[in-house]
Amino acid sequence: MADSPDLGTYEPDFAGSLPACRRARPALRYTREVTQPPPSSQDQGSQHQPRPPANSVFVRACRGEPVPCTPVWFMRQAGRALPEYHRVRAGIPMLESCTRPELVTEITLQPLRRYDVDAAVLFSDIVVPLRAVGVDVDIKPGVGPVVASPVRAAADVERLRPLEPADVPYISEAVKSVVAELGGKPLIGFAGAPFTLASYLIEGGPSKNHDRTRALMYGNPELWHALMDRLTTIAIAFLQVQVDAGAAAVQLFDSWVGVVGPEDYRQAILPHTRRIFSALEESRVPRIHFGVGTGELLGLLGEAGADVVGVDWRIPLDEAAQRVRAGVGHQSKALQGNLDPAALLAGWDVVEPRARDIIARGQKLTGGHVFNLGHGVLPETDPGILARLADLVHEVSAAAR
């Protein structure tokens, strides 16, 4: 591709100072632009064969299995905080960049050259499948997704057709390309949840309070469920395409669902979310469910059927675990989270004690813990802080076991 970076070779060995933890992870092989030198290794003589993603620390933690250290990855780790991301995307619109497999591969791999994270996350966007089925949606710089013709009536919903694999060949190609270079490290695929996608379609773009969305949900339940049903079908197909191509886990982003109350969630949203996770059960990949401002919904999020419930920064992990257990008959589920992304802008003296507290709380969970932020990496974040944080999570958690 004309806009692709020059190719190089990067072959790190993770046998360093935490052998018990790092030997549980595969060696990696990246054949893309080198923006950082390989991490130093104190065990240059050891060679490790790549292991299947199912044996990775990340996947095992998602399943609640014993792990030698707490795995870590960061939402939005691939993208806007990295200068190399801005270089390779210069002059390329966001949604166009999501349709270029070689560019997607490069951007997905970039953070793994900087951070010792335990999973890659596919570079894409939640509105990609909407664009693929004919919705006139674009991502405006500094604004976000903007829909030319917002949903107002049944005819608008009827235009939402099912997503077919042939609609997104670039997603399959990109996933296969990334997986081929990860050497066994897991790739996380993702999709937008029906409520969050519906909010963009109804509001016509980003919204603070999602007033039109909630008004339609309250006032026209028949139209609401018709819209949610179609978006659910699209989300299932989009996730299945990624799993079929080799994604080792999936995350459903319901970023804005925290604006609804528990009873409205149960009646208007939960059945559709549950259908997504149920449809992916046979794929046997970990399923993660994440939303922002969902402290009052955590029990219901647990009921929806995911293996892992994401937690934002507004509630301590141990309290979140109690709420999730209450929703699933006191069964334990793995949790993911939950450092405030804004803390990363305040410096290491703020980050370290907060991260240590989260690690300690996570190690007491009976269902397992995946360290992450409570939302995505902010654009102003220093990549060096993220690299240091990933190392801290591994070191502290391994030492405590």
Side-chain angles (χ1 to χ4, degrees):
M1 296 172 61
D3 298 298
S4 64
D6 293 335
L7 302 185
T9 302
Y10 177 33
E11 300 181 80
D13 184 304
F14 287 120
S17 60
L18 296 173
C21 180
R22 294 187 176 180
R23 284 175 187 167
R25 289 186 246 129
L28 306 180
R29 179 181 298 273
Y30 307 145
T31 54
R32 287 294 184 271
E33 180 189 44
V34 178
T35 57
Q36 291 272 70
S40 61
S41 172
Q42 297 177 8
D43 185 7
Q44 296 291 340
S46 75
Q47 297 294 324
H48 307 303
Q49 294 299 316
R51 298 188 180 192
N55 292 335
S56 68
V57 174
F58 167 75
V59 170
R60 286 157 53 199
C62 289
R63 299 192 186 287
E65 299 172 0
V67 290
C69 65
T70 300
V72 55
W73 70 282
F74 305 116
M75 287 181 281
R76 288 183 179 161
Q77 67 187 21
R80 55 194 187 168
L82 299 179
E84 56 267 33
Y85 163 78
H86 293 285
R87 287 199 298 271
V88 299
R89 257 210 63 212
I92 306 174
M94 175 62 185
L95 287 180
E96 181 182 338
S97 69
C98 295
T99 67
R100 300 188 182 189
E102 190 167 350
L103 185 57
V104 170
T105 301
E106 163 60 20
I107 294 173
T108 301
L109 295 177
Q110 283 177 347
L112 276 71
R113 302 185 187 120
R114 287 181 174 265
Y115 320 136
D116 188 13
V117 287
D118 294 282
V121 59
L122 186 70
F123 172 74
S124 187
D125 191 89
I126 63 171
V127 300
V128 165
L130 297 182
R131 184 84 171 272
V133 299
V135 175
D136 189 354
V137 58
D138 197 9
I139 297 179
K140 303 294 185 183
V143 178
V146 176
V147 178
S149 300
V151 169
R152 295 288 181 267
D156 301 319
V157 173
E158 289 167 4
R159 285 196 290 268
L160 280 173
R161 65 171 177 83
L163 179 79
E164 301 292 340
D167 294 321
V168 286
Y170 43 86
I171 294 294
S172 297
E173 185 178 342
V175 170
K176 290 175 183 177
S177 174
V178 172
V179 169
E181 300 208 26
L182 285 177
K185 180 166 281 197
L187 173 68
I188 303 169
F190 69 90
F195 178 88
T196 293
L197 293 179
S199 73
Y200 285 118
L201 291 175
I202 296 167
E203 305 288 341
S207 170
K208 285 186 177 181
N209 300 312
H210 310 276
D211 295 329
R212 284 183 176 271
T213 305
R214 289 182 291 126
L216 191 150
M217 181 178 70
Y218 301 149
N220 194 339
E222 182 178 355
L223 181 60
W224 172 260
H225 284 289
L227 174 60
M228 291 289 281
D229 185 65
R230 294 197 179 216
L231 292 174
T232 295
T233 299
I234 289 170
I236 291 170
F238 192 57
L239 290 171
Q240 195 64 59
V241 163
Q242 295 171 72
V243 171
D244 290 345
V250 293
Q251 176 159 307
L252 189 68
F253 281 89
D254 213 347
S255 304
W256 312 136
V257 78
V259 301
V260 306
E263 190 54 34
D264 290 314
Y265 182 92
R266 181 180 296 280
Q267 298 297 327
I269 300 166
L270 179 59
H272 304 284
T273 310
R274 183 179 281 143
R275 182 158 76 88
I276 293 173
F277 290 125
S278 178
L280 291 166
E281 187 171 6
E282 291 186 2
S283 299
R284 304 182 67 82
V285 299
R287 300 154 296 171
I288 308 168
H289 194 186
F290 172 74
V292 180
T294 53
E296 298 302 318
L297 303 177
L298 286 171
L300 291 163
L301 265 61
E303 285 185 44
D307 304 290
V308 184
V309 176
V311 182
D312 76 4
W313 65 92
R314 295 173 176 86
I315 181 172
L317 279 181
D318 43 5
E319 172 64 20
Q322 293 177 19
R323 296 187 184 190
V324 171
R325 282 199 301 270
V328 292
H330 298 283
Q331 299 174 4
S332 296
K333 280 185 180 282
L335 298 187
Q336 178 177 279
N338 66 331
L339 182 68
D340 186 345
L344 297 171
L345 308 182
W348 186 248
D349 289 345
V350 172
V351 171
E352 182 176 7
R354 288 171 178 260
R356 287 179 178 272
D357 179 67
I358 291 169
I359 296 165
R361 292 175 189 270
Q363 291 195 311
K364 296 176 183 177
L365 301 178
T366 57
H369 178 221
V370 175
F371 191 98
N372 208 313
L373 306 181
H375 201 187
V377 174
L378 296 170
E380 305 85 359
T381 304
D382 176 5
I385 291 281
L386 285 169
R388 195 171 178 184
L389 176 58
D391 289 342
L392 178 78
V393 172
H394 291 144
E395 293 164 7
V396 172
S397 62
R401 278 173 164 79

